[in-house]
Amino acid sequence: MTNGKSVILDVSGWLRLFDDGSVDRTWTGPPEVKFVAESVPPHDDFIDGVAVRDLVIDRESGLRVRIYLPEVKCSGGEKLPVVVHFHGGGFCISEADWFMYYHTYTDVVKSAEAICVSVYLRRAPEHRLPAAVDDGFSALRWLQSVALGHEIEPWIIENADFNRVFLIGDSSGGNLVHSVAALAGEADLSPVKLAGGIPIHPGFVRSERSKSEIENPQSPFLTLDMVDKFLSLALPEGSTKDHPITCPMGANAQPLESLNLPPFLLCIAEKDLIIDTEMEYYEAMKAANKEVEILMSKGMGHSFYLNKIALKMDPETAAASDHLFAGIARFIKQH
């Protein structure tokens, strides 16, 4: 009981839902890891080679993005690719300004020499899916407006190559990479061109437990409790995990053959709880003759690269993270 309210659902220390419908996302797990979920303020000045800006891109809805601009000198009039980022959190927690994303995507923009536009996604249960998908697609529409001169954002106008726009997402954000790319394939976004999609450890699951969900170790970034409870809060009322957003390779989804998708780099981790269903997605994409390659992180678990403590304390985790983001940078530079 808290202030006369009763907790009716608690998700692994990350979220509590009360009987009046209110939500508390205060971290209640080990205090030594709380910093990964703390907000990092923007800074227009370059710090360690990156400047960061927050702005509202839709005044009506209040939708915001965070822009990461690397301190890169482009030669011969060349401009930088744009990476549109969707944060993870089971569609229910986390924010674009959290330290773990700041730490990760400042490194990404430097290694890939790209601009990152990270979307402050609406979260469930206040905003069930497809709200986050709509936010992701709105970010692409905003980029189109900037490219056409209808919106003014100097960092984007002066530095962005609108012919090389990529989607990248962590965990549930990886689901959004697929869903938003599918929407983009049916839309006229010119002069913006979607050049690639990079789902990292996407939350692709199905109603029936996979072998890896049963046998692989759980981690602070993904437990079966989180999978089940977050999706119960996030999916449309009455839906199961076989919903197209969580199971795009399943019978309820639009056939992959019919989708106009860009090349994909599917990043997976050997010990991820949901690696089996991620591989089902990969096999379905290959069977549909889609351009998709795998980047495997050996011996690692779900979203390991976001764990700042492990990156600092464990050389193997640090090396695997370096390998992952070198592969992502390579993919971006090749497309």
Side-chain angles (χ1 to χ4, degrees):
M1 187 79 69
T2 304
N3 295 328
K5 302 185 294 185
S6 296
V7 175
I8 60 173
L9 190 68
D10 185 291
V11 190
S12 298
W14 288 103
L15 176 149
R16 284 149 304 289
L17 176 66
F18 294 93
D19 55 1
D20 67 348
S22 61
V23 178
D24 180 10
R25 295 181 174 87
T26 305
W27 171 246
T28 60
E32 62 270 17
V33 301
K34 183 178 183 294
F35 74 94
V36 302
E38 291 179 341
S39 173
V40 178
H43 46 86
D44 271 12
D45 296 330
F46 287 101
I47 298 176
D48 294 329
V50 180
V52 179
R53 174 178 293 172
D54 286 348
L55 69 150
V56 175
I57 63 171
D58 187 321
R59 293 168 189 83
E60 186 174 330
S61 69
L63 182 62
R64 296 183 297 147
V65 297
R66 166 160 287 201
I67 303 175
Y68 295 85
L69 179 68
E71 195 171 16
V72 175
K73 301 298 183 185
C74 298
S75 59
E78 290 184 9
K79 294 198 171 186
L80 304 177
V82 179
V83 178
V84 179
H85 169 243
F86 308 132
H87 63 72
F91 309 109
C92 293
I93 61 168
S94 85
E95 291 266 29
D97 62 0
W98 277 16
F99 174 82
M100 62 182 179
Y101 299 120
Y102 176 87
H103 172 263
T104 299
Y105 286 91
T106 49
D107 284 348
V108 167
V109 298
K110 287 187 287 188
S111 62
E113 297 185 338
I115 301 165
C116 178
V117 176
S118 184
V119 186
Y120 284 86
L121 301 165
R122 284 176 292 171
R123 300 173 297 184
E126 301 95 327
H127 304 281
R128 286 180 176 262
L129 293 168
V133 178
D134 295 339
D135 290 345
F137 189 68
S138 292
L140 285 182
R141 283 294 193 195
W142 173 75
L143 275 179
Q144 180 186 33
S145 293
V146 175
L148 292 170
H150 300 159
E151 297 279 349
I152 304 300
E153 171 41 55
W155 283 10
I156 301 294
I157 294 170
E158 295 168 10
N159 298 287
D161 181 352
F162 294 105
N163 284 308
R164 297 176 64 216
V165 174
F166 297 81
L167 305 179
I168 191 169
D170 317 278
S171 192
S172 58
N175 299 57
L176 301 183
V177 169
H178 176 91
S179 296
V180 173
L183 287 176
E186 299 176 347
D188 179 8
L189 291 171
S190 57
V192 168
K193 180 183 177 184
L194 205 57
I198 310 168
I200 310 176
H201 310 171
F204 297 145
V205 293
R206 47 178 163 76
S207 291
E208 182 183 352
R209 286 260 195 255
S210 66
K211 187 169 181 283
S212 63
E213 282 180 279
I214 296 168
E215 296 182 356
N216 280 8
Q218 301 183 61
S219 76
F221 288 106
L222 192 66
T223 64
L224 292 178
D225 185 60
M226 293 165 69
V227 171
D228 294 344
K229 291 179 180 177
F230 279 154
L231 294 185
S232 74
L233 297 173
L235 287 167
E237 294 279 3
S239 298
T240 71
K241 294 176 188 173
D242 295 320
H243 188 279
I245 295 175
T246 44
C247 191
M249 63 287 191
N252 294 338
Q254 188 174 344
L256 294 174
E257 294 88 346
S258 68
L259 300 182
N260 177 23
L261 297 174
F264 267 49
L265 175 66
L266 175 62
C267 304
I268 59 177
E270 184 180 24
K271 294 184 178 179
D272 197 331
L273 270 184
I274 53 177
I275 188 173
D276 284 357
T277 36
E278 292 168 341
M279 287 302 299
E280 288 176 18
Y281 172 78
Y282 171 75
E283 296 297 341
M285 287 279 280
K286 294 293 284 186
N289 294 314
K290 300 304 177 184
E291 186 178 339
V292 56
E293 62 174 293
I294 277 185
L295 179 56
M296 169 73 81
S297 296
K298 296 284 188 180
M300 295 293 118
H302 191 82
S303 296
F304 71 92
Y305 58 93
L306 295 176
N307 188 339
K308 174 67 172 174
I309 296 174
L311 292 174
K312 186 175 181 180
M313 303 297 292
D314 179 30
E316 289 188 9
T317 302
S321 182
D322 289 344
H323 178 261
L324 169 64
F325 288 104
I328 290 171
R330 171 194 56 78
F331 178 83
I332 292 171
K333 290 176 180 178
Q334 287 179 346
H335 294 83

PDB file of all heavy atoms in Angstrom, residues 125-144:
ATOM      1  N   PRO A 125       1.874   1.393 -19.722  1.00  0.00           N
ATOM      2  CA  PRO A 125       0.501   1.139 -20.169  1.00  0.00           C
ATOM      3  C   PRO A 125      -0.314   2.385 -20.485  1.00  0.00           C
ATOM      4  O   PRO A 125      -1.439   2.271 -20.987  1.00  0.00           O
ATOM      5  CB  PRO A 125      -0.108   0.413 -18.968  1.00  0.00           C
ATOM      6  CG  PRO A 125       0.613   0.979 -17.790  1.00  0.00           C
ATOM      7  CD  PRO A 125       2.026   1.198 -18.261  1.00  0.00           C
ATOM      8  N   GLU A 126       0.253   3.587 -20.207  1.00  0.00           N
ATOM      9  CA  GLU A 126      -0.500   4.804 -20.524  1.00  0.00           C
ATOM     10  C   GLU A 126      -0.770   4.914 -22.027  1.00  0.00           C
ATOM     11  O   GLU A 126      -1.814   5.431 -22.440  1.00  0.00           O
ATOM     12  CB  GLU A 126       0.260   6.050 -20.052  1.00  0.00           C
ATOM     13  CG  GLU A 126       0.537   6.084 -18.555  1.00  0.00           C
ATOM     14  CD  GLU A 126       1.917   5.544 -18.222  1.00  0.00           C
ATOM     15  OE1 GLU A 126       2.388   4.631 -18.930  1.00  0.00           O
ATOM     16  OE2 GLU A 126       2.517   6.033 -17.250  1.00  0.00           O
ATOM     17  N   HIS A 127       0.189   4.438 -22.812  1.00  0.00           N
ATOM     18  CA  HIS A 127       0.067   4.517 -24.272  1.00  0.00           C
ATOM     19  C   HIS A 127       0.432   3.154 -24.852  1.00  0.00           C
ATOM     20  O   HIS A 127       1.604   2.869 -25.112  1.00  0.00           O
ATOM     21  CB  HIS A 127       0.984   5.600 -24.838  1.00  0.00           C
ATOM     22  CG  HIS A 127       0.763   6.955 -24.246  1.00  0.00           C
ATOM     23  ND1 HIS A 127      -0.275   7.766 -24.629  1.00  0.00           N
ATOM     24  CD2 HIS A 127       1.440   7.631 -23.293  1.00  0.00           C
ATOM     25  CE1 HIS A 127      -0.226   8.894 -23.950  1.00  0.00           C
ATOM     26  NE2 HIS A 127       0.798   8.839 -23.128  1.00  0.00           N
ATOM     27  N   ARG A 128      -0.559   2.318 -25.033  1.00  0.00           N
ATOM     28  CA  ARG A 128      -0.306   0.979 -25.570  1.00  0.00           C
ATOM     29  C   ARG A 128       0.098   1.050 -27.040  1.00  0.00           C
ATOM     30  O   ARG A 128      -0.153   2.048 -27.734  1.00  0.00           O
ATOM     31  CB  ARG A 128      -1.546   0.094 -25.418  1.00  0.00           C
ATOM     32  CG  ARG A 128      -1.814  -0.385 -23.975  1.00  0.00           C
ATOM     33  CD  ARG A 128      -3.047  -1.255 -23.905  1.00  0.00           C
ATOM     34  NE  ARG A 128      -3.254  -1.781 -22.555  1.00  0.00           N
ATOM     35  CZ  ARG A 128      -2.887  -2.991 -22.141  1.00  0.00           C
ATOM     36  NH1 ARG A 128      -2.298  -3.824 -23.005  1.00  0.00           N
ATOM     37  NH2 ARG A 128      -3.107  -3.382 -20.905  1.00  0.00           N
ATOM     38  N   LEU A 129       0.718  -0.020 -27.509  1.00  0.00           N
ATOM     39  CA  LEU A 129       1.042  -0.126 -28.929  1.00  0.00           C
ATOM     40  C   LEU A 129      -0.248  -0.034 -29.739  1.00  0.00           C
ATOM     41  O   LEU A 129      -1.302  -0.471 -29.283  1.00  0.00           O
ATOM     42  CB  LEU A 129       1.738  -1.465 -29.199  1.00  0.00           C
ATOM     43  CG  LEU A 129       3.123  -1.601 -28.566  1.00  0.00           C
ATOM     44  CD1 LEU A 129       3.602  -3.044 -28.626  1.00  0.00           C
ATOM     45  CD2 LEU A 129       4.130  -0.675 -29.242  1.00  0.00           C
ATOM     46  N   PRO A 130      -0.188   0.601 -30.916  1.00  0.00           N
ATOM     47  CA  PRO A 130       1.001   0.982 -31.679  1.00  0.00           C
ATOM     48  C   PRO A 130       1.523   2.397 -31.448  1.00  0.00           C
ATOM     49  O   PRO A 130       2.148   2.980 -32.352  1.00  0.00           O
ATOM     50  CB  PRO A 130       0.523   0.834 -33.126  1.00  0.00           C
ATOM     51  CG  PRO A 130      -0.927   1.252 -33.059  1.00  0.00           C
ATOM     52  CD  PRO A 130      -1.423   0.755 -31.724  1.00  0.00           C
ATOM     53  N   ALA A 131       1.298   2.985 -30.268  1.00  0.00           N
ATOM     54  CA  ALA A 131       1.717   4.369 -30.036  1.00  0.00           C
ATOM     55  C   ALA A 131       3.200   4.575 -30.323  1.00  0.00           C
ATOM     56  O   ALA A 131       3.585   5.550 -30.983  1.00  0.00           O
ATOM     57  CB  ALA A 131       1.401   4.771 -28.591  1.00  0.00           C
ATOM     58  N   ALA A 132       4.061   3.664 -29.846  1.00  0.00           N
ATOM     59  CA  ALA A 132       5.506   3.821 -30.065  1.00  0.00           C
ATOM     60  C   ALA A 132       5.865   3.699 -31.538  1.00  0.00           C
ATOM     61  O   ALA A 132       6.778   4.372 -32.023  1.00  0.00           O
ATOM     62  CB  ALA A 132       6.279   2.791 -29.237  1.00  0.00           C
ATOM     63  N   VAL A 133       5.151   2.838 -32.266  1.00  0.00           N
ATOM     64  CA  VAL A 133       5.378   2.721 -33.716  1.00  0.00           C
ATOM     65  C   VAL A 133       5.025   4.041 -34.397  1.00  0.00           C
ATOM     66  O   VAL A 133       5.774   4.539 -35.256  1.00  0.00           O
ATOM     67  CB  VAL A 133       4.536   1.574 -34.312  1.00  0.00           C
ATOM     68  CG1 VAL A 133       4.742   1.496 -35.832  1.00  0.00           C
ATOM     69  CG2 VAL A 133       4.906   0.242 -33.663  1.00  0.00           C
ATOM     70  N   ASP A 134       3.904   4.612 -34.003  1.00  0.00           N
ATOM     71  CA  ASP A 134       3.489   5.899 -34.582  1.00  0.00           C
ATOM     72  C   ASP A 134       4.518   6.986 -34.298  1.00  0.00           C
ATOM     73  O   ASP A 134       4.815   7.816 -35.173  1.00  0.00           O
ATOM     74  CB  ASP A 134       2.135   6.315 -34.009  1.00  0.00           C
ATOM     75  CG  ASP A 134       1.011   5.370 -34.401  1.00  0.00           C
ATOM     76  OD1 ASP A 134       1.168   4.640 -35.402  1.00  0.00           O
ATOM     77  OD2 ASP A 134      -0.022   5.360 -33.697  1.00  0.00           O
ATOM     78  N   ASP A 135       5.081   6.991 -33.087  1.00  0.00           N
ATOM     79  CA  ASP A 135       6.109   7.981 -32.744  1.00  0.00           C
ATOM     80  C   ASP A 135       7.350   7.802 -33.616  1.00  0.00           C
ATOM     81  O   ASP A 135       7.945   8.784 -34.081  1.00  0.00           O
ATOM     82  CB  ASP A 135       6.499   7.859 -31.271  1.00  0.00           C
ATOM     83  CG  ASP A 135       5.385   8.309 -30.336  1.00  0.00           C
ATOM     84  OD1 ASP A 135       4.434   8.965 -30.798  1.00  0.00           O
ATOM     85  OD2 ASP A 135       5.480   7.996 -29.133  1.00  0.00           O
ATOM     86  N   GLY A 136       7.746   6.551 -33.815  1.00  0.00           N
ATOM     87  CA  GLY A 136       8.914   6.289 -34.652  1.00  0.00           C
ATOM     88  C   GLY A 136       8.714   6.758 -36.079  1.00  0.00           C
ATOM     89  O   GLY A 136       9.606   7.380 -36.682  1.00  0.00           O
ATOM     90  N   PHE A 137       7.528   6.494 -36.628  1.00  0.00           N
ATOM     91  CA  PHE A 137       7.255   6.931 -37.999  1.00  0.00           C
ATOM     92  C   PHE A 137       7.141   8.450 -38.071  1.00  0.00           C
ATOM     93  O   PHE A 137       7.569   9.068 -39.056  1.00  0.00           O
ATOM     94  CB  PHE A 137       5.993   6.268 -38.531  1.00  0.00           C
ATOM     95  CG  PHE A 137       5.759   6.506 -39.988  1.00  0.00           C
ATOM     96  CD1 PHE A 137       6.606   5.960 -40.940  1.00  0.00           C
ATOM     97  CD2 PHE A 137       4.719   7.307 -40.413  1.00  0.00           C
ATOM     98  CE1 PHE A 137       6.409   6.206 -42.294  1.00  0.00           C
ATOM     99  CE2 PHE A 137       4.507   7.553 -41.756  1.00  0.00           C
ATOM    100  CZ  PHE A 137       5.359   7.003 -42.702  1.00  0.00           C
ATOM    101  N   SER A 138       6.606   9.061 -37.017  1.00  0.00           N
ATOM    102  CA  SER A 138       6.521  10.529 -36.977  1.00  0.00           C
ATOM    103  C   SER A 138       7.902  11.167 -37.038  1.00  0.00           C
ATOM    104  O   SER A 138       8.068  12.249 -37.624  1.00  0.00           O
ATOM    105  CB  SER A 138       5.793  10.985 -35.708  1.00  0.00           C
ATOM    106  OG  SER A 138       4.434  10.615 -35.732  1.00  0.00           O
ATOM    107  N   ALA A 139       8.893  10.509 -36.430  1.00  0.00           N
ATOM    108  CA  ALA A 139      10.263  11.031 -36.497  1.00  0.00           C
ATOM    109  C   ALA A 139      10.775  11.036 -37.934  1.00  0.00           C
ATOM    110  O   ALA A 139      11.473  11.974 -38.354  1.00  0.00           O
ATOM    111  CB  ALA A 139      11.179  10.209 -35.599  1.00  0.00           C
ATOM    112  N   LEU A 140      10.419  10.006 -38.710  1.00  0.00           N
ATOM    113  CA  LEU A 140      10.801   9.990 -40.124  1.00  0.00           C
ATOM    114  C   LEU A 140      10.082  11.095 -40.891  1.00  0.00           C
ATOM    115  O   LEU A 140      10.682  11.758 -41.754  1.00  0.00           O
ATOM    116  CB  LEU A 140      10.485   8.631 -40.747  1.00  0.00           C
ATOM    117  CG  LEU A 140      11.391   7.461 -40.402  1.00  0.00           C
ATOM    118  CD1 LEU A 140      10.951   6.209 -41.165  1.00  0.00           C
ATOM    119  CD2 LEU A 140      12.854   7.776 -40.743  1.00  0.00           C
ATOM    120  N   ARG A 141       8.829  11.299 -40.597  1.00  0.00           N
ATOM    121  CA  ARG A 141       8.078  12.374 -41.264  1.00  0.00           C
ATOM    122  C   ARG A 141       8.685  13.742 -40.919  1.00  0.00           C
ATOM    123  O   ARG A 141       8.733  14.640 -41.777  1.00  0.00           O
ATOM    124  CB  ARG A 141       6.609  12.329 -40.845  1.00  0.00           C
ATOM    125  CG  ARG A 141       5.798  11.239 -41.504  1.00  0.00           C
ATOM    126  CD  ARG A 141       5.676  11.469 -43.004  1.00  0.00           C
ATOM    127  NE  ARG A 141       4.657  10.615 -43.619  1.00  0.00           N
ATOM    128  CZ  ARG A 141       4.552  10.421 -44.926  1.00  0.00           C
ATOM    129  NH1 ARG A 141       5.409  11.010 -45.766  1.00  0.00           N
ATOM    130  NH2 ARG A 141       3.623   9.636 -45.418  1.00  0.00           N
ATOM    131  N   TRP A 142       9.145  13.886 -39.680  1.00  0.00           N
ATOM    132  CA  TRP A 142       9.786  15.144 -39.292  1.00  0.00           C
ATOM    133  C   TRP A 142      11.084  15.338 -40.073  1.00  0.00           C
ATOM    134  O   TRP A 142      11.357  16.450 -40.569  1.00  0.00           O
ATOM    135  CB  TRP A 142      10.067  15.146 -37.792  1.00  0.00           C
ATOM    136  CG  TRP A 142      10.877  16.332 -37.345  1.00  0.00           C
ATOM    137  CD1 TRP A 142      10.443  17.614 -37.196  1.00  0.00           C
ATOM    138  CD2 TRP A 142      12.271  16.346 -37.021  1.00  0.00           C
ATOM    139  NE1 TRP A 142      11.475  18.425 -36.791  1.00  0.00           N
ATOM    140  CE2 TRP A 142      12.611  17.671 -36.674  1.00  0.00           C
ATOM    141  CE3 TRP A 142      13.258  15.357 -36.985  1.00  0.00           C
ATOM    142  CZ2 TRP A 142      13.907  18.030 -36.300  1.00  0.00           C
ATOM    143  CZ3 TRP A 142      14.543  15.712 -36.608  1.00  0.00           C
ATOM    144  CH2 TRP A 142      14.856  17.043 -36.269  1.00  0.00           C
ATOM    145  N   LEU A 143      11.875  14.288 -40.217  1.00  0.00           N
ATOM    146  CA  LEU A 143      13.101  14.392 -41.026  1.00  0.00           C
ATOM    147  C   LEU A 143      12.761  14.807 -42.452  1.00  0.00           C
ATOM    148  O   LEU A 143      13.472  15.624 -43.054  1.00  0.00           O
ATOM    149  CB  LEU A 143      13.848  13.058 -41.049  1.00  0.00           C
ATOM    150  CG  LEU A 143      14.796  12.748 -39.909  1.00  0.00           C
ATOM    151  CD1 LEU A 143      15.416  11.359 -40.114  1.00  0.00           C
ATOM    152  CD2 LEU A 143      15.914  13.794 -39.804  1.00  0.00           C
ATOM    153  N   GLN A 144      11.696  14.247 -42.992  1.00  0.00           N
ATOM    154  CA  GLN A 144      11.261  14.637 -44.327  1.00  0.00           C
ATOM    155  C   GLN A 144      10.924  16.126 -44.375  1.00  0.00           C
ATOM    156  O   GLN A 144      11.307  16.833 -45.320  1.00  0.00           O
ATOM    157  CB  GLN A 144      10.056  13.808 -44.752  1.00  0.00           C
ATOM    158  CG  GLN A 144       9.541  14.147 -46.151  1.00  0.00           C
ATOM    159  CD  GLN A 144       8.245  13.409 -46.482  1.00  0.00           C
ATOM    160  OE1 GLN A 144       7.426  13.149 -45.591  1.00  0.00           O
ATOM    161  NE2 GLN A 144       8.068  13.071 -47.746  1.00  0.00           N
TER     162      GLN A 144
END
